[in-house]
Amino acid sequence: MSTRSESAPTVLVTGGAGFIGSHTCVELLQHGYRVVVVDDHSNSSPEALLRIEKTAGRSLDAVHILDMRDARALAEVFTAHRIDAVVHFAAKKAVGESVQIPLDYYEVNVGATVSLLRVMREHGVERLVFSSSCSIYGDARPVPLDENEPARPTNPYARSKWMCEQVLADTCRAWPELSALALRYFNPVGAHPSGLLGEDPRGVPNNVMPFAMQVAVGRRELLSVFGGDYPTEDGTAVRDYIHVVDVADGHRVALEQLGVRPDGDGTSGTSGTSGASGPAGAAGAGLRVLNLGTGVGTSVLELVAAVGRACGQPIPHEIVGRREGDVTRLVADPGAVAAAWGWRTTRTLDDMCADAWRFQQANPMGYGA
Ligand code: UD1
């Protein structure tokens, strides 16, 4: 496999074996970054790391299996590698589970973020992209939501992400050299178009797309559509589904905006060494919060129909009662990121379904098979 220039910036990707983390690693490797992964595999497979390298045609610089709350172990990673920036995904993310075991969510999600920021500060690493969530908006107004919408998180998972944003904001105030971007993604779905990388949830999937895919491939009989009495056109809840490769691309562009870029001449592109570009690249830019979404709302029944088109067969489903904690409509206003970066998503709902189906067909039992 080819290697990067020795002076290319090195990005630490926490949770790099997870669904969004693995796709982001591919994007970064393909654009000439060096990538170090930290993961504890609590909800991911080591196989994903092999798939990253196969998909990208490049190798990861290193993989460290550790629990990020262990600040001492994490510090050793920063000592072993000259880290230029961090993309922090590692977190627990099941909404329902977070209601059952809230302390685990606060301990893991907030604890890991605090530990990471401490170690970054000790090692003078001043660029961070944080994985945040549209769930922070919670039971919001049924309009496209911009970043000024007040936070109304409705469950411990969403509150843990909201707390992390507060931790970041306070840390940026106390540490003026830190520049952080919190990206609030809407509903990431799909898979890499190669069919090598995708979503591989453990146990019964919580989320609609992986569940529908397991129905399509014959692992489950029927998709339950939660709620047919929402005040929407067809009565089912509306979400802003975004292709995971668009989300990954958004993280790559976020790093560029922080001034962390592999230069064409192969010299290090971190702002500290070769000058930042873009407003967020300036030292002391503080915390900026941006939505990552398409701005397009899709109902559950529209999604079920799109999955059916991709698979060439209708998806058996039945409408059942609402799921506790669900909201009617969550759609992004993607205007701020478009204005700030000139960036927008490019992949359609049909792309999301076709790519998810390609992965599911090639890996009917996920990475475990
Ligand atoms: C939630 C979180 C989001 C998080 C995501 C991934 C909220 C508001 N959102 O999204 O931040 O990133 O989980 O963990 O907390 N549905 C069915 N049948 C199913 C599963 C889901 O009909 O078997 C419906 C849901 O009721 C919902 C839609 O499909 O209307 C999407 O659900 P899901 O994929 O679970 O994502 P969210 O709950 O929107």
Side-chain angles (χ1 to χ4, degrees):
M1 284 182 187
S2 57
T3 52
R4 266 80 46 217
S5 121
E6 280 306 310
S7 56
T10 300
V11 180
L12 175 67
V13 180
T14 77
F19 175 44
I20 305 174
S22 59
H23 287 79
T24 301
C25 287
V26 168
E27 206 64 31
L28 296 181
L29 289 172
Q30 287 181 333
H31 283 82
Y33 289 89
R34 305 172 72 95
V35 176
V36 173
V37 165
V38 161
D39 205 299
D40 66 357
H41 291 313
S42 56
N43 190 29
S44 69
S45 164
E47 174 67 18
L49 300 169
L50 303 176
R51 302 287 184 98
I52 290 169
E53 297 186 329
K54 200 170 169 189
T55 309
R58 290 173 179 265
S59 43
L60 296 162
D61 275 70
V63 175
H64 297 270
I65 311 298
L66 58 87
D67 182 329
M68 289 186 56
R69 288 169 294 173
D70 183 350
R72 198 172 295 175
L74 191 59
E76 285 172 19
V77 176
F78 282 72
T79 304
H81 310 276
R82 197 212 64 189
I83 304 292
D84 293 295
V86 180
V87 183
H88 177 37
F89 294 105
K92 295 174 80 67
K93 63 161 192 177
V95 172
E97 182 187 65
S98 79
V99 177
Q100 306 303 319
I101 48 170
L103 295 180
D104 289 34
Y105 274 69
Y106 295 121
E107 201 173 301
V108 173
N109 294 3
V110 183
T113 302
V114 170
S115 159
L116 174 65
L117 286 165
R118 273 194 200 287
V119 176
M120 285 176 66
R121 178 139 207 199
E122 278 164 23
H123 289 79
V125 178
E126 297 167 349
R127 299 289 180 272
L128 174 66
V129 183
F130 175 70
S131 167
S132 192
S133 168
C134 71
S135 62
I136 283 178
Y137 297 118
D139 204 358
R141 296 175 304 139
V143 296
L145 299 165
D146 69 27
E147 294 78 355
N148 297 317
E149 187 72 20
R152 291 190 194 88
T154 58
N155 56 68
Y157 160 72
R159 269 189 285 279
S160 75
K161 289 289 178 182
W162 173 235
M163 284 180 189
C164 287
E165 285 193 3
Q166 308 306 301
V167 168
L168 284 173
D170 286 341
T171 307
C172 284
R173 275 181 218 114
W175 176 18
E177 292 79 19
L178 179 63
S179 290
L181 278 166
L183 302 182
R184 292 178 176 171
Y185 352 116
F186 281 66
N187 285 56
V189 297
H192 195 272
S194 63
L196 286 169
L197 271 184
E199 192 167 7
D200 179 28
R202 296 203 169 163
V204 181
N206 294 301
N207 299 115
V208 66
M209 183 65 119
F211 201 107
M213 284 293 145
Q214 292 193 4
V215 172
V217 83
R219 279 175 67 181
R220 301 188 188 277
E221 276 186 14
L222 192 67
L223 172 74
S224 298
V225 173
F226 297 139
D229 59 348
Y230 284 103
T232 61
E233 264 184 26
D234 63 20
T236 63
V238 169
R239 295 289 181 272
D240 184 340
Y241 297 96
I242 175 172
H243 198 298
V244 66
V245 178
D246 276 332
V247 177
D249 184 60
H251 286 76
R252 177 186 65 77
V253 175
L255 286 168
E256 283 188 7
Q257 293 291 323
L258 290 174
V260 184
R261 55 179 70 194
D263 289 346
D265 62 3
T267 56
S268 173
T270 60
S271 59
T273 54
S274 63
S277 68
L287 173 66
R288 176 144 201 203
V289 174
L290 288 169
N291 286 339
L292 283 193
T294 65
V296 178
T298 302
S299 73
V300 180
L301 286 180
E302 286 170 338
L303 181 75
V304 169
V307 171
R309 284 196 297 278
C311 309
Q313 62 191 29
I315 303 301
H317 63 276
E318 67 172 344
I319 295 181
V320 300
R322 292 184 181 192
R323 182 171 70 176
E324 202 185 334
D326 273 344
V327 299
T328 302
R329 187 182 186 89
L330 271 179
V331 177
D333 176 343
V337 76
W341 305 349
W343 182 88
R344 49 181 51 79
T345 60
T346 59
R347 294 159 179 92
T348 65
L349 182 66
D350 284 333
D351 296 332
M352 301 174 210
C353 296
D355 291 337
W357 178 233
R358 193 175 303 110
F359 174 76
Q360 192 70 51
Q361 270 185 307
N363 308 270
M365 302 305 286
Y367 296 130

